[in-house]
């Protein structure tokens, strides 16, 4: 789990995420750029940095926690600029996170 060094604290139902690009590996399957671009328009891969106190309130359990990799809708939330640590973050509503990525990407 990584610490929140952004200087941004999500409130209410907000979740602070940091986007990342999945590692591209060579494979047998070649995905044309036009298809890859269409897929990227649908979702954005992110890592949860911090969770607001009301996120997933009323649900049986919290769907994601800091350090989890998740998928969010591409244009959800607010993209931050000029944070304390110089990174780009996105503040999204807890409902904009539609999947948690449980598999481990090889490094």
């Amino acid at each position: 789990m990584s610490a929140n060094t952004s200087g941004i604290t999500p409130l209410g139902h907000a979740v602070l995420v940091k986007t990342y690009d999945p590692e591209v590996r060579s494979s047998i399957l070649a995905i044309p750029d036009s298809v890859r671009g269409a897929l990227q328009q649908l979702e954005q891969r992110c890592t949860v940095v911090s969770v607001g106190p009301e996120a997933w309130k009323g649900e049986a359990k919290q769907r994601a926690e800091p350090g989890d990799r998740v998928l969010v809708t591409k244009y959800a939330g607010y993209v931050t600029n000029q944070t304390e640590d110089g990174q780009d973050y996105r503040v999204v509503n807890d409902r904009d996170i539609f999947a948690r990525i449980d598999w481990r990407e090889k490094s």
Side-chain angles (χ1 to χ4, degrees):
M1 178 168 70
S2 61
N4 181 1
T5 60
S6 68
I8 299 169
T9 301
L11 303 174
H13 290 276
V15 178
L16 181 66
V17 297
K18 184 165 93 172
T19 61
Y20 73 92
D21 292 323
E23 188 175 318
V24 177
R25 295 177 177 266
S26 62
S27 66
I28 298 171
L29 179 64
I31 300 175
D33 288 339
S34 60
V35 173
R36 185 176 298 130
L39 291 173
Q40 289 175 346
Q41 289 177 12
L42 300 174
E43 51 93 349
Q44 181 71 54
R45 292 174 184 244
C46 299
T47 302
V48 175
V49 175
S50 185
V51 178
E54 301 286 318
W56 300 293
K57 186 173 183 177
E59 294 190 17
K61 67 178 206 171
Q62 188 169 315
R63 288 187 274 149
E65 56 189 42
D68 285 349
R69 289 183 176 185
V70 295
L71 297 178
V72 301
T73 53
K74 179 70 174 180
Y75 297 107
Y78 172 78
V79 178
T80 65
N81 293 317
Q82 298 178 355
T83 58
E84 287 185 15
D85 61 2
Q87 298 290 319
D88 288 331
Y89 293 89
R90 184 181 297 238
V91 179
V92 299
N93 188 293
D94 59 357
R95 303 227 186 260
D96 292 326
I97 296 175
F98 61 90
R100 186 177 63 229
I101 303 171
D102 288 330
W103 66 85
R104 303 274 183 223
E105 293 186 39
K106 295 178 183 176
S107 50

